[in-house]
Amino acid sequence: MAKGSAFMRRLCIVLNILLGFLGVVLLLVGIVASSFKTEPLIIGYYWQDETQSVLFSIGFGLATILLSILGVYGAYQEHVLALLLYTIFMTIEFITLLALTIVAILAQPQVEKKIEDNFGNMTSLYNTDEVFHREINKLQQEAKCCGLIDYTDWKYQIPSSCECPQNYSDKEARCVNVNVQNYRSSESNKKAEDDRKTAQSPLRYVYKTNCGLILMRHVKNTLRIMLGIVFTLATVMLAAVIVALLLWNKINKRSSIAGISNDEDRTKYELQPHKKA
């Protein structure tokens, strides 16, 4: 009994230390996400639940850290009440996390469709704000793409980040020839400094690949990573709850046996005839 209890106690401590680490990770992710817009192309414009996601990460991170501390204390001290409270609250957190994860999985197709619809509803990328404009240009240069749907998203002002280099390999297959004159009308004088390169030649090669597919790929990969972290956390939570319950049960049984032994000893002592001196 003692050896089994010691093993359960150590295992419970190890699992809760792991839970505390995962809680710190969730907390840091929430803090960083609230301080920096790491994906302004997606979060700032199309991800309307950014604040809720940040609060979810911070809230679950703090709750996991506090409960892991309670679990370590209960296991180390073999405190029955602390283990019982830990099991109850950790079970509640596990059920809540599981329910929110199921909702997120079911809502994933709608989220992706909403993002795609927003891509198609944009009238012109050139009229977006400075942050979006900077990020989309950066993406176009790095991913070698142009526009969210195609280069016509830029209307009359196709930026230089869409241009294929002169020595670009397989230019005919990966790029499309655009007549710049067809994309310069009453807006041709707007922000002329950004389009000096455009005025040099009426013909330009721009990337044929659209950036919307690349952004959607980033969204799906991010969701997969998040779901992987959540499932890992849920698995460790479930294991920690089961071990805590087993440890709580062993401690209770050991206390009951010890109590019965003390009662039997006291009864035997009381039933013994007192010897006269």
Side-chain angles (χ1 to χ4, degrees):
M1 180 71 71
K3 289 183 179 179
S5 179
F7 172 76
M8 289 293 177
R9 185 160 58 91
R10 294 191 188 98
L11 183 58
C12 189
I13 291 172
V14 170
L15 288 174
N16 279 283
I17 290 174
L18 181 57
L19 273 178
F21 173 75
L22 293 174
V24 170
V25 171
L26 275 178
L27 181 62
L28 291 177
V29 168
I31 293 173
V32 171
S34 64
S35 303
F36 302 98
K37 290 187 181 298
T38 56
E39 293 289 347
L41 292 179
I42 300 170
I43 296 176
Y45 292 86
Y46 305 111
W47 204 282
Q48 303 297 329
D49 298 329
E50 176 193 6
T51 304
Q52 295 179 6
S53 301
V54 169
L55 292 177
F56 167 83
S57 181
I58 294 176
F60 269 89
L62 283 174
T64 304
I65 292 171
L66 293 176
L67 287 176
S68 65
I69 293 173
L70 179 62
V72 170
Y73 170 77
Y76 184 77
Q77 297 291 337
E78 294 191 348
H79 197 287
V80 176
L81 180 59
L83 286 173
L84 182 61
L85 291 175
Y86 167 81
T87 303
I88 293 172
F89 287 115
M90 187 60 77
T91 302
I92 294 173
E93 184 180 2
F94 171 76
I95 294 173
T96 305
L97 182 64
L98 194 62
L100 291 176
T101 302
I102 293 173
V103 171
I105 293 174
L106 294 177
Q108 183 175 345
Q110 288 82 358
V111 171
E112 294 175 0
K113 187 177 184 303
K114 183 178 179 181
I115 295 174
E116 292 176 350
D117 291 341
N118 284 329
F119 286 168
N121 292 334
M122 296 196 70
T123 57
S124 175
L125 292 178
Y126 199 78
N127 295 327
T128 54
D129 61 62
E130 184 179 353
V131 175
F132 189 92
H133 200 272
R134 183 179 66 247
E135 292 297 324
I136 191 67
N137 274 295
K138 181 180 177 182
L139 177 64
Q140 288 177 157
Q141 288 178 339
E142 294 177 352
K144 295 179 173 54
C145 59
C146 186
L148 295 175
I149 306 299
D150 56 27
Y151 64 91
T152 59
D153 292 341
W154 289 101
K155 297 298 182 182
Y156 303 100
Q157 303 289 342
I158 301 176
S160 59
S161 59
C162 279
E163 290 187 18
C164 296
Q166 292 183 355
N167 58 349
Y168 192 61
S169 60
D170 201 10
K171 181 183 290 188
E172 295 296 332
R174 300 183 182 182
C175 305
V176 59
N177 198 330
V178 177
N179 189 340
V180 178
Q181 292 178 352
N182 294 334
Y183 292 90
R184 296 179 66 84
S185 61
S186 59
E187 299 185 17
S188 60
N189 294 324
K190 292 182 179 180
K191 299 184 179 180
E193 293 183 359
D194 295 337
D195 297 302
R196 288 175 182 174
K197 194 172 182 179
T198 300
Q200 293 176 1
S201 174
L203 294 177
R204 297 166 63 191
Y205 280 96
V206 297
Y207 296 116
K208 187 183 295 185
T209 305
N210 68 73
C211 300
L213 293 175
I214 298 172
L215 282 175
M216 287 304 303
R217 196 180 308 135
H218 289 171
V219 171
K220 292 178 181 179
N221 290 337
T222 302
L223 289 175
R224 289 192 190 100
I225 293 171
M226 291 176 63
L227 289 176
I229 294 174
V230 169
F231 277 120
T232 301
L233 180 62
T235 303
V236 178
M237 277 184 181
L238 182 60
V241 168
I242 293 173
V243 172
L245 276 174
L246 292 175
L247 179 60
W248 176 79
N249 185 49
K250 282 183 176 292
I251 295 172
N252 273 341
K253 283 184 178 180
R254 188 172 60 190
S255 300
S256 300
I257 293 173
I260 293 173
S261 299
N262 291 334
D263 291 340
E264 289 178 352
D265 292 340
R266 185 170 59 252
T267 302
K268 289 179 181 179
Y269 176 77
E270 291 175 352
L271 292 176
Q272 285 180 355
H274 294 286
K275 296 180 180 180
K276 294 183 180 179

Coordinates of all heavy atoms in Angstrom, one line a residue, residues 2-37:
A2 N 1.9 1.2 0.8 CA 2.8 2.4 0.9 C 3.5 2.7 -0.4 O 3.7 3.8 -0.8 CB 3.8 2.3 2.1
K3 N 4.0 1.6 -1.0 CA 4.8 1.7 -2.2 C 3.9 2.2 -3.3 O 4.2 3.1 -4.1 CB 5.4 0.4 -2.6 CG 6.5 -0.1 -1.7 CD 7.2 -1.3 -2.3 CE 8.3 -1.8 -1.4 NZ 8.9 -3.0 -1.8
G4 N 2.6 1.7 -3.4 CA 1.7 2.2 -4.4 C 1.3 3.6 -4.2 O 1.2 4.4 -5.2
S5 N 1.1 4.0 -3.0 CA 0.8 5.4 -2.7 C 2.0 6.3 -3.1 O 1.8 7.4 -3.6 CB 0.5 5.5 -1.2 OG 0.2 6.9 -0.9
A6 N 3.2 5.9 -2.8 CA 4.4 6.7 -3.1 C 4.5 6.9 -4.7 O 4.8 8.0 -5.2 CB 5.6 6.1 -2.6
F7 N 4.3 5.8 -5.4 CA 4.3 5.9 -6.9 C 3.3 6.9 -7.4 O 3.6 7.7 -8.3 CB 4.1 4.5 -7.5 CG 4.0 4.5 -9.0 CD1 5.1 4.7 -9.8 CD2 2.8 4.4 -9.6 CE1 5.0 4.7 -11.2 CE2 2.6 4.4 -10.9 CZ 3.8 4.6 -11.7
M8 N 2.0 6.7 -6.9 CA 1.0 7.6 -7.3 C 1.3 9.1 -7.0 O 1.0 10.0 -7.8 CB -0.4 7.2 -6.7 CG -0.9 5.9 -7.2 SD -1.5 6.1 -8.9 CE -2.0 4.4 -9.2
R9 N 1.9 9.3 -5.8 CA 2.2 10.6 -5.4 C 3.2 11.3 -6.3 O 3.1 12.4 -6.8 CB 2.7 10.6 -4.0 CG 3.0 12.0 -3.4 CD 3.1 11.8 -1.8 NE 4.1 10.9 -1.4 CZ 5.4 11.2 -1.2 NH1 5.8 12.5 -1.3 NH2 6.3 10.3 -0.8
R10 N 4.3 10.5 -6.7 CA 5.3 11.0 -7.6 C 4.7 11.3 -9.0 O 5.0 12.3 -9.6 CB 6.5 10.1 -7.7 CG 7.2 9.9 -6.4 CD 8.5 9.1 -6.6 NE 9.2 8.8 -5.3 CZ 9.1 7.6 -4.7 NH1 8.4 6.7 -5.3 NH2 9.7 7.4 -3.6
L11 N 3.9 10.3 -9.5 CA 3.3 10.5 -10.8 C 2.4 11.7 -10.8 O 2.4 12.5 -11.8 CB 2.5 9.2 -11.2 CG 1.9 9.2 -12.5 CD1 2.9 9.4 -13.6 CD2 1.1 7.9 -12.7
C12 N 1.6 11.9 -9.8 CA 0.7 13.1 -9.7 C 1.5 14.4 -9.7 O 1.2 15.4 -10.4 CB -0.1 13.0 -8.5 SG -1.4 14.2 -8.4
I13 N 2.7 14.4 -9.0 CA 3.5 15.6 -9.0 C 4.1 15.9 -10.4 O 4.1 17.0 -10.8 CB 4.6 15.5 -7.9 CG1 4.0 15.5 -6.5 CG2 5.7 16.6 -8.1 CD1 5.0 15.1 -5.4
V14 N 4.6 14.8 -11.0 CA 5.2 15.0 -12.4 C 4.1 15.5 -13.4 O 4.4 16.5 -14.1 CB 5.8 13.7 -12.9 CG1 6.2 13.8 -14.3 CG2 7.0 13.3 -12.0
L15 N 2.9 14.9 -13.4 CA 1.9 15.4 -14.3 C 1.5 16.8 -14.0 O 1.2 17.6 -15.0 CB 0.7 14.5 -14.1 CG 0.8 13.1 -14.7 CD1 -0.4 12.2 -14.4 CD2 1.0 13.1 -16.2
N16 N 1.4 17.2 -12.8 CA 1.1 18.6 -12.5 C 2.2 19.6 -12.8 O 1.9 20.8 -13.2 CB 0.6 18.7 -11.0 CG -0.8 18.3 -10.8 OD1 -1.7 19.0 -11.1 ND2 -0.9 17.1 -10.2
I17 N 3.4 19.2 -12.7 CA 4.5 20.0 -13.2 C 4.4 20.2 -14.7 O 4.6 21.4 -15.2 CB 5.9 19.4 -12.8 CG1 6.1 19.5 -11.3 CG2 7.0 20.2 -13.5 CD1 7.3 18.8 -10.8
L18 N 4.1 19.2 -15.4 CA 3.9 19.3 -16.9 C 2.7 20.2 -17.2 O 2.7 21.0 -18.1 CB 3.7 17.9 -17.5 CG 3.5 17.8 -19.0 CD1 4.6 18.4 -19.7 CD2 3.3 16.4 -19.4
L19 N 1.6 20.0 -16.4 CA 0.5 20.9 -16.6 C 0.8 22.4 -16.3 O 0.3 23.3 -17.0 CB -0.7 20.5 -15.7 CG -1.6 19.4 -16.2 CD1 -2.6 19.1 -15.1 CD2 -2.3 19.8 -17.4
G20 N 1.6 22.6 -15.3 CA 2.0 24.0 -15.0 C 2.8 24.6 -16.2 O 2.7 25.7 -16.5
F21 N 3.7 23.8 -16.8 CA 4.5 24.2 -17.9 C 3.6 24.6 -19.1 O 3.7 25.6 -19.7 CB 5.5 23.1 -18.3 CG 6.2 23.4 -19.6 CD1 7.2 24.4 -19.6 CD2 5.8 22.8 -20.8 CE1 7.9 24.7 -20.8 CE2 6.5 23.1 -22.0 CZ 7.5 24.0 -22.0
L22 N 2.6 23.7 -19.4 CA 1.6 24.0 -20.5 C 0.8 25.2 -20.1 O 0.5 26.0 -21.0 CB 0.7 22.8 -20.7 CG 1.4 21.5 -21.2 CD1 0.4 20.4 -21.3 CD2 2.0 21.8 -22.6
G23 N 0.5 25.4 -18.9 CA -0.3 26.6 -18.5 C 0.5 27.9 -18.7 O 0.0 28.9 -19.1
V24 N 1.8 27.8 -18.4 CA 2.7 29.0 -18.7 C 2.8 29.3 -20.2 O 2.8 30.4 -20.6 CB 4.1 28.7 -18.1 CG1 5.1 29.8 -18.6 CG2 4.1 28.6 -16.6
V25 N 2.8 28.2 -21.0 CA 2.9 28.4 -22.4 C 1.6 29.1 -22.9 O 1.6 30.1 -23.7 CB 3.0 27.0 -23.2 CG1 2.8 27.2 -24.7 CG2 4.4 26.4 -22.9
L26 N 0.4 28.6 -22.4 CA -0.8 29.3 -22.8 C -0.9 30.7 -22.4 O -1.3 31.6 -23.1 CB -2.0 28.5 -22.2 CG -2.5 27.3 -22.9 CD1 -3.7 26.7 -22.1 CD2 -3.0 27.7 -24.3
L27 N -0.4 31.0 -21.1 CA -0.4 32.3 -20.6 C 0.5 33.3 -21.5 O 0.1 34.4 -21.8 CB 0.1 32.3 -19.2 CG 0.1 33.7 -18.4 CD1 -1.3 34.3 -18.4 CD2 0.7 33.5 -17.0
L28 N 1.7 32.8 -21.8 CA 2.6 33.6 -22.6 C 2.0 33.8 -24.0 O 2.2 34.9 -24.6 CB 4.0 32.9 -22.7 CG 4.8 32.8 -21.4 CD1 6.1 32.1 -21.6 CD2 5.1 34.3 -20.9
V29 N 1.4 32.8 -24.6 CA 0.8 33.0 -25.9 C -0.3 34.1 -25.9 O -0.4 34.9 -26.7 CB 0.2 31.7 -26.4 CG1 -0.7 31.9 -27.6 CG2 1.3 30.7 -26.8
G30 N -1.1 34.1 -24.8 CA -2.1 35.1 -24.7 C -1.6 36.5 -24.5 O -2.1 37.4 -25.1
I31 N -0.5 36.6 -23.7 CA 0.1 37.9 -23.4 C 0.7 38.4 -24.7 O 0.6 39.6 -25.0 CB 1.1 37.8 -22.3 CG1 0.4 37.5 -20.9 CG2 1.9 39.1 -22.2 CD1 1.4 37.2 -19.8
V32 N 1.5 37.6 -25.4 CA 2.1 38.0 -26.6 C 1.1 38.4 -27.7 O 1.2 39.4 -28.4 CB 3.1 36.9 -27.2 CG1 3.6 37.3 -28.6 CG2 4.2 36.7 -26.2
A33 N 0.0 37.6 -27.8 CA -1.0 37.9 -28.8 C -1.8 39.2 -28.5 O -2.2 39.9 -29.4 CB -2.0 36.7 -28.8
S34 N -1.9 39.5 -27.2 CA -2.5 40.8 -26.8 C -1.6 42.0 -27.0 O -2.1 43.1 -27.1 CB -3.0 40.7 -25.3 OG -1.9 40.6 -24.5
S35 N -0.3 41.8 -27.1 CA 0.6 42.9 -27.2 C 1.0 43.2 -28.7 O 1.2 44.3 -29.0 CB 1.9 42.6 -26.4 OG 1.6 42.4 -25.1
F36 N 1.0 42.1 -29.5 CA 1.4 42.2 -30.9 C 0.4 41.6 -31.8 O -0.1 40.5 -31.5 CB 2.8 41.6 -31.1 CG 3.9 42.1 -30.2 CD1 4.2 41.4 -29.1 CD2 4.5 43.3 -30.5 CE1 5.2 41.9 -28.2 CE2 5.5 43.8 -29.7 CZ 5.9 43.1 -28.5
K37 N 0.2 42.3 -32.9 CA -0.7 41.7 -34.0 C 0.2 40.9 -34.9 O 0.7 41.4 -35.9 CB -1.4 42.8 -34.7 CG -2.5 43.4 -33.8 CD -3.3 44.4 -34.7 CE -4.4 45.0 -33.8 NZ -5.4 44.1 -33.3

